[in-house]
């Protein structure tokens, strides 16, 4: 029997947080989010308005970066590029 190779998760989030700061208030959009999604898995993100769904998707799509934590795609850590 041939051993099946162990593949890294397609998406791996490790202790992500996202904090939005203004002069008046700090908003914790995401707090200590950890998640692994394997190849072939289907995932649904649901929750009430204002719970961080769009913020999470923006980070996954590399449109925004987490305040803390790490995000890996196919085993490679991702960083958001700075605007020119």
């Amino acid at each position: 029997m041939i051993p099946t190779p162990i593949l890294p998760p397609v998406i791996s989030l490790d202790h992500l947080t996202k904090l939005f700061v203004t002069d008046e208030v700090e908003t914790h959009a995401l707090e200590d989010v950890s998640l692994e999604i394997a190849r072939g898995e289907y995932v649904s993100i649901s929750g009430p308005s204002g719970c961080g769904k769009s913020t999470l998707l923006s980070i996954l799509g590399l449109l925004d970066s987490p305040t803390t934590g790490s995000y890996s795609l196919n085993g490679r850590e991702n960083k958001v590029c700075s605007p020119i």
Side-chain angles (χ1 to χ4, degrees):
M1 182 173 195
I2 299 172
T4 304
I6 298 174
L7 300 173
V10 175
I11 293 174
S12 178
L13 308 177
D14 190 36
H15 301 288
L16 281 188
T17 63
K18 181 63 179 180
L19 178 64
F20 295 100
V21 179
T22 66
D23 291 336
E24 300 163 2
V25 69
E26 291 184 356
T27 303
H28 294 265
L30 299 173
E31 192 168 340
D32 197 31
V33 176
S34 295
L35 171 71
E36 287 189 347
I37 301 173
R39 187 168 311 282
E41 282 188 314
Y42 289 92
V43 176
S44 173
I45 299 172
S46 63
S49 178
C51 73
K53 300 178 301 290
S54 295
T55 301
L56 178 60
L57 292 174
S58 291
I59 291 171
L60 291 175
L62 300 176
L63 301 172
D64 201 355
S65 58
T67 305
T68 63
S70 64
Y71 163 38
S72 297
L73 180 63
N74 287 324
R76 301 176 106 177
E77 186 157 346
N78 287 283
K79 304 287 183 191
V80 173
C81 297
S82 300
I84 297 175

